[in-house]
Amino acid sequence: MSNAMFSNLKKSAESASKEVMKLITAISDEQSFVETDKFISVSTELGEAVGEGVVGGFAHISDIRVGLFATNPTVLKGSIGKANAKKIVKVISSATAAGLPVVGILDTAGARFGEGIDAMEGYAEIFRALSDAYGSVPTVIAVKGSDFGLSSYFCAVTDLCIAYAGAQIASSSPLILAANTKADPAKICTGAYLSQKSDVVTNVVKDEKELKAAISTFLSMIVSPVAESADDPNRTAKAAALKKSDDILKEVFDKNTVFSVRNGYAEEVKTGFARLGGIAVGYVVTDGKLTGNGAGKVTELLNTCESFSLPVINLVNCDGVATSAETDGDTIRKISDMMFTYNNICVPKLALIYGNAIGAGYMAFAAKSTADYTVAWDDAKIGVIGGQAAAQLLYKDEIAKAAKKDQVEKKLAEAYAEENLSASVVAKKGYLDNVIEPALSRPYMVAALQTYLSKE
């Protein structure tokens, strides 16, 4: 190849990838990106696909080496065909073989239909490569613009799926999904919407700065599971600072380390990652009645924790399960799957009951057969059913005859709870390792984690 031909090829490739390179440069460390297969180019009926519509290679993100690929929406709308699928697969497979995290950025209108079955085989190869990577190395997919068709399924075989608020993820064209409805095709299946209605999108970002921060925070937990912490492991909390589940998160875990995932979905459960005494962990915080969707959300977190040997910390305030005739079958399946996963992961599992642990709320998150270590606040309530439900079942005749039914029911419920559900009663039966004052939550959990960290 002559110098002139090479110069023209280089200019063509750089021009085609100009916009997507801005994104890669914004999220990767300065001058760390090393591109692979830069000059691959094919001609199609729609024009020349310079670089095959994909930019791929290796980079550092906050000093963490990753395999990185990004579809290029300026080349045939980022469409995926056989050749660029191979380019994506090469990045994923090379990163997996080297033990490096995989980061993919999608902005694609779908398949190159003109390639027919060849394009479908390309999608299958990408999904196979992601399947091999998932659970072996950290995997992150970010969706900036469109992610239509078969590539939408890539989002669910990753540890994190980060979407820009206005990005659209759909298994079919939004025009088709919006047909026969009054919905605006441009506003359906957005990242913001899916983060509240499904567990596919784990985090929503507004720009490249937030995208880099989300990727960096997650990868640092996996790549550096033990780090020095400036936060006092014996830090105690004031009672006024322990009123809500968000407060518990802040007071138990190291300061400024909590990274939530799927925050807008199934809000009776909070999941994410944090550090406890410098040790990276996954956390599950329950607050209310558990739903099937909440259980599915927990299962996703547990799978990631097991893949990368992160301990799981349960902060429990669960009044059992929310059921209805319409959803009961689905709820049974998802909660059973969650409990199966809890019982089969091998990482340390610690539980702090900071409120109630009723029925499945106890069995799933705090039972001695499930958790390695369980403590409860001194005012926690633990049992088969709550005090009010027990009073209604056991004393319904007495309540019915009372002049002031509400007062009598309340008094009987409190008496039942004190005699049967109190943490001290449960501890005497050997089902709690300790009963503690709320202010001591962090010191106890830090000490317990250090004890069980070497669990076989």
Side-chain angles (χ1 to χ4, degrees):
M1 181 184 295
S2 68
N3 289 338
M5 290 178 62
F6 175 75
S7 179
N8 289 334
L9 180 62
K10 182 178 179 182
K11 287 180 181 179
S12 178
E14 289 176 348
S15 175
S17 64
K18 184 177 181 180
E19 290 303 313
V20 75
M21 279 303 301
K22 286 182 181 179
L23 174 58
I24 291 174
T25 301
I27 69 167
S28 58
D29 298 349
E30 186 176 0
Q31 296 184 338
S32 70
F33 182 62
V34 178
E35 190 171 355
T36 58
D37 297 322
K38 181 175 181 175
F39 298 120
I40 289 178
S41 179
V42 298
S43 296
T44 73
E45 293 180 357
L46 299 175
E48 189 176 21
V50 179
E52 259 305 304
V54 173
V55 175
F58 296 84
H60 284 86
I61 299 179
S62 297
D63 293 327
I64 299 170
R65 186 76 167 158
V66 303
L68 175 64
F69 70 87
T71 58
N72 188 352
T74 65
V75 176
L76 304 182
K77 296 183 178 181
S79 59
I80 293 177
K82 180 71 172 177
N84 65 6
K86 286 188 175 298
K87 189 172 178 178
I88 292 171
V89 168
K90 181 178 178 180
V91 172
I92 297 171
S93 299
S94 297
T96 303
L100 301 178
V102 173
V103 177
I105 304 171
L106 300 178
D107 191 347
T108 171
R112 291 185 189 169
F113 294 109
E115 293 189 18
I117 195 65
D118 288 335
M120 297 303 96
E121 184 62 28
Y123 274 102
E125 290 174 359
I126 295 172
F127 201 91
R128 174 59 187 267
L130 280 173
S131 299
D132 290 341
Y134 180 64
S136 177
V137 297
T139 53
V140 179
I141 288 291
V143 182
K144 182 175 182 181
S146 303
D147 183 17
F148 300 153
L150 295 175
S151 59
S152 65
Y153 298 118
F154 301 158
C155 295
V157 66
T158 58
D159 297 297
L160 284 192
C161 173
I162 306 170
Y164 283 64
Q168 287 184 286
I169 304 171
S171 60
S172 185
S173 166
L175 291 172
I176 295 174
L177 295 177
N180 302 318
T181 74
K182 296 181 180 179
D184 181 351
K187 295 181 179 179
I188 65 172
C189 298
T190 63
Y193 175 84
L194 290 176
S195 71
Q196 297 177 346
K197 300 298 182 181
S198 80
D199 63 357
V200 172
V201 173
T202 60
N203 300 83
V204 177
V205 297
K206 64 181 180 182
D207 54 29
E208 285 77 9
K209 182 178 179 180
E210 289 189 358
L211 175 60
K212 182 175 182 177
I215 295 173
S216 301
T217 301
F218 171 68
L219 293 184
S220 70
M221 299 280 184
I222 308 301
V223 175
S224 303
V226 179
E228 287 191 22
S229 174
D231 198 355
D232 182 2
N234 295 313
R235 172 169 55 85
T236 59
K238 296 180 180 179
L242 296 170
K243 297 296 184 183
K244 299 178 181 178
S245 57
D246 286 337
D247 299 332
I248 312 297
L249 274 170
K250 293 176 183 177
E251 293 301 329
V252 170
F253 297 110
D254 296 357
K255 292 179 180 178
N256 303 316
T257 67
V258 173
F259 176 66
S260 62
V261 297
R262 301 181 175 88
N263 206 31
Y265 177 69
E267 293 181 304
E268 81 281 1
V269 178
K270 292 180 173 66
T271 60
F273 306 91
R275 290 190 185 273
L276 185 59
I279 299 167
V281 301
Y283 68 78
V284 175
V285 184
T286 56
D287 192 5
K289 285 185 177 291
L290 182 66
T291 65
N293 288 341
K297 177 176 172 177
V298 173
T299 302
E300 290 295 326
L301 180 91
L302 298 179
N303 287 333
T304 296
C305 289
E306 176 71 356
S307 294
F308 305 111
S309 301
L310 298 185
V312 176
I313 310 297
N314 296 329
L315 304 180
V316 185
N317 178 27
C318 183
D319 294 315
V321 177
T323 60
S324 70
E326 293 80 10
T327 63
D328 203 44
D330 183 64
T331 299
I332 290 170
R333 167 56 64 189
K334 289 181 176 178
I335 291 180
S336 295
D337 286 345
M338 180 194 74
M339 291 194 289
F340 175 86
T341 304
Y342 260 121
N343 285 309
N344 281 276
I345 61 176
C346 298
V347 299
K349 294 164 283 187
L350 313 181
L352 166 66
I353 304 172
Y354 72 94
N356 297 334
I358 304 299
Y362 170 76
M363 183 171 70
F365 301 110
K368 291 293 288 183
S369 60
T370 301
D372 298 297
Y373 180 83
T374 303
V375 296
W377 285 3
D378 49 15
D379 60 351
K381 297 294 183 286
I382 306 154
V384 179
I385 57 176
Q388 184 177 10
Q392 291 170 347
L393 287 172
L394 298 174
Y395 308 112
K396 63 178 181 179
D397 292 338
E398 186 175 340
I399 294 171
K401 294 175 183 178
K404 297 181 179 180
K405 294 180 175 58
D406 290 344
Q407 291 183 15
V408 170
E409 181 180 309
K410 182 180 179 181
K411 184 177 180 179
L412 291 169
E414 291 175 348
Y416 178 88
E418 184 63 30
E419 294 174 9
N420 298 278
L421 308 179
S422 68
S424 59
V425 170
V426 175
K428 288 178 182 178
K429 295 181 179 180
Y431 297 125
L432 296 175
D433 290 293
N434 213 331
V435 179
I436 66 173
E437 296 178 20
L440 301 177
S441 296
R442 174 175 167 79
Y444 267 90
M445 298 309 286
V446 170
L449 179 58
Q450 292 172 344
T451 299
Y452 285 92
L453 199 59
S454 60
K455 171 186 174 183
E456 294 294 333

